[in-house]
Amino acid sequence: MDRQRKIQSKTVFRLIAIISLILFTFPALTFAHPYSASFTNVEFNEDETTFHFSIDTLSIIELQEDIDQNNDNILQMKEINNEEDHLVEFLTHSVILDKNNEQQEPEVISMEIEEKDNKEFLSLSLKYSAFQPGDTITINDGLFYKDADTNYVNLLSATMFGESSQAALQGENRSWTILLTEPQQEQQAGGDPSSSSGQADEAPGNKTAGSSWLSFFKLGMSHILTGYDHLLFLFALLLRKQTFKQYALIVTSFTVAHSITLSLAVLGIMDLPSKFVESMIALSIIYVAVENIFRKEVSHRWGLTFVFGLIHGLGFANILQEMNLSKGNLASALVSFNIGIEVVQIMIVLLLLPLLTYLHRLKDSSKYIKYGSIVIILFGAFWLFERLF
């Protein structure tokens, strides 16, 4: 029995050591949402077409290895100016606007660094000539296309004839197509849903809700999978031994809570500073882990989960808030995005429960829970310090 206990102890310690080594060795994993994101806003007017593209500066550094001349992982305007011509050519030939299958060349208006959600973005403003009814317009995004494991997403918003359309271009679906028609007439967007160009949201008169639903569903799945702070919070809540009913209440209260604030934030009803929200999320991780160590009973954890879940919902909302979703497409995008989050969350819980059941049956399970909670506290403290300072 002693030998078996020693083997179990070594196994648990090795697992904790491996997880800690991975997270502290690779800086990208220590961020809350280490996705690579860009935002495209295109407006079709009678006399011209404006095109505004923003991408996080860390992605630019990754895509253009020589641009960060002092190797500080911070993109500065001086470095951008030194490579301006090359950078403009790279971006305009990676994110392409086609008319009737012919690539269009834009006029560059400006290029600058902007801050969104406590992250720096390189923003490029372009102008194209006006398009006419009958033109088939396609936007193709080829950034990170050769990287099979990329979590890159381009959140696209298009405005035409006073109506808006949104799409989330990700994975293999990096193309958005629309047939321009006169106002009040039927428009066709998205093309064949089985093709790579089927990710447009509903434009005036079209019926492509299925493809847009899938687009935001995948975005929700990707968002939670790369939201390591949310996942660690959920794991900390489940780590202590509880009944199946208590586990179900925790998951349900977390779902209800973050769904409420996610909806309120995207609707513009509720808005808190991003720095405060992200810091509170880190603090919630620390608090639950401390409870795991010092509280004797955690039978009513669903209430605590609900309170902190309200904060986590605001964290989920950031990416949708940046898109400025139109009212006509808001409900569909919001519901499908939230369902994507819930599907992944349920799958993770179902995978964790058998492992936690095995852990709780071990003679020294309380020690392992304590050690695991200490590791969780360290990660939470790291994120809290990073977000505050």
Side-chain angles (χ1 to χ4, degrees):
M1 290 296 294
D2 290 339
R3 185 171 181 273
Q4 184 180 3
R5 196 161 52 229
K6 288 180 179 179
I7 293 174
Q8 291 173 345
S9 299
K10 288 181 179 179
T11 302
V12 174
F13 277 121
R14 285 173 181 170
L15 180 60
I16 293 174
I18 290 172
I19 295 174
S20 301
L21 180 63
I22 291 174
L23 288 170
F24 281 114
T25 301
F26 299 98
L29 293 178
T30 61
F31 289 98
H33 298 284
Y35 57 80
S36 178
S38 68
F39 300 88
T40 299
N41 290 280
V42 57
E43 184 172 347
F44 299 95
N45 299 310
E46 292 184 1
D47 53 347
E48 66 179 17
T49 298
T50 59
F51 193 99
H52 188 79
F53 177 78
S54 299
I55 184 170
D56 63 288
T57 55
L58 288 177
S59 292
I60 292 293
I61 292 173
E62 183 177 350
L63 290 164
Q64 300 287 295
E65 297 179 357
D66 297 331
I67 197 169
D68 184 19
Q69 298 169 359
N70 57 4
N71 297 316
D72 61 352
N73 285 326
I74 299 175
L75 192 59
Q76 300 174 351
M77 278 307 303
K78 180 180 179 181
E79 295 170 329
I80 293 173
N81 293 333
N82 289 339
E83 298 289 334
E84 181 175 358
D85 292 340
H86 174 72
L87 195 54
V88 169
E89 181 180 6
F90 169 73
L91 291 175
T92 55
H93 286 78
S94 297
V95 182
I96 301 169
L97 189 150
D98 287 349
K99 181 183 78 171
N100 302 326
N101 294 322
E102 292 185 4
Q103 181 175 337
Q104 304 298 295
E105 293 298 328
E107 175 187 346
V108 179
I109 304 301
S110 65
M111 185 165 58
E112 59 186 354
I113 293 178
E114 298 178 336
E115 186 170 317
K116 299 180 182 181
D117 191 25
N118 289 332
K119 292 183 180 179
E120 288 190 340
F121 284 76
L122 177 66
S123 295
L124 181 65
S125 293
L126 307 172
K127 183 170 68 174
Y128 293 87
S129 56
F131 298 106
Q132 304 299 321
D135 289 339
T136 298
I137 307 300
T138 302
I139 295 176
N140 295 299
D141 188 330
L143 294 173
F144 293 103
Y145 202 81
K146 294 182 179 180
D147 186 356
D149 298 324
T150 184
N151 53 18
Y152 169 75
V153 58
N154 184 341
L155 300 171
L156 182 147
S157 296
T159 303
M160 64 222 80
F161 309 121
E163 299 288 343
S164 296
S165 175
Q166 283 82 28
L169 310 182
Q170 57 192 319
E172 296 180 355
N173 300 309
R174 302 286 199 83
S175 184
W176 179 88
T177 301
I178 190 167
L179 173 62
L180 293 182
T181 62
E182 294 286 359
Q184 307 301 325
Q185 293 182 1
E186 184 174 347
Q187 296 193 23
Q188 179 182 2
D192 181 2
S194 63
S195 72
S196 62
S197 61
Q199 297 304 311
D201 211 337
E202 289 193 56
N206 75 40
K207 303 295 181 183
T208 59
S211 62
S212 65
W213 187 93
L214 182 61
S215 175
F216 284 95
F217 174 79
K218 290 180 179 179
L219 181 61
M221 294 181 68
S222 175
H223 199 54
I224 183 65
L225 284 172
T226 55
Y228 300 118
D229 50 355
H230 302 294
L231 296 178
L232 195 59
F233 173 72
L234 185 61
F235 177 69
L237 287 167
L238 303 176
L239 187 56
R240 282 284 296 272
K241 185 178 181 180
Q242 298 163 79
T243 65
F244 180 81
K245 180 181 179 180
Q246 289 168 341
Y247 282 138
L249 285 172
I250 286 173
V251 174
T252 302
S253 61
F254 186 57
T255 297
V256 172
H258 75 63
S259 297
I260 291 172
T261 46
L262 169 62
S263 302
L264 292 176
V266 175
L267 290 169
I269 298 173
M270 185 176 186
D271 188 24
L272 292 176
S274 175
K275 186 174 183 179
F276 171 78
V277 171
E278 296 298 329
S279 299
M280 287 298 296
I281 289 173
L283 188 61
S284 71
I285 296 170
I286 298 171
Y287 184 88
V288 174
V290 169
E291 269 202 349
N292 286 341
I293 298 173
F294 295 106
R295 284 201 69 172
K296 293 182 179 181
E297 297 292 336
V298 290
S299 56
H300 299 291
R301 181 159 270 184
W302 66 268
L304 175 71
T305 304
F306 184 86
V307 173
F308 282 131
L310 294 172
I311 298 295
H312 282 254
L314 296 175
F316 286 134
N318 287 338
I319 195 167
L320 290 184
Q321 286 176 301
E322 292 289 346
M323 288 189 71
N324 296 317
L325 293 165
S326 64
K327 293 181 179 180
N329 301 320
L330 184 58
S332 174
L334 188 57
V335 170
S336 54
F337 179 81
N338 203 36
I339 291 176
I341 292 175
E342 301 315 321
V343 167
V344 173
Q345 180 178 288
I346 292 172
M347 291 176 61
I348 290 173
V349 170
L350 292 176
L351 289 173
L352 279 177
L353 287 182
L355 298 175
L356 291 172
T357 300
Y358 170 77
L359 173 65
H360 296 148
R361 288 176 179 172
L362 298 178
K363 186 175 182 180
D364 295 329
S365 62
S366 60
K367 289 184 179 179
Y368 303 144
I369 291 172
K370 179 180 178 180
Y371 299 144
S373 297
I374 291 173
V375 173
I376 293 172
I377 290 171
L378 291 175
F379 284 123
F382 176 82
W383 281 325
L384 182 61
F385 179 83
E386 179 187 54
R387 294 165 189 183
L388 286 176
F389 306 102

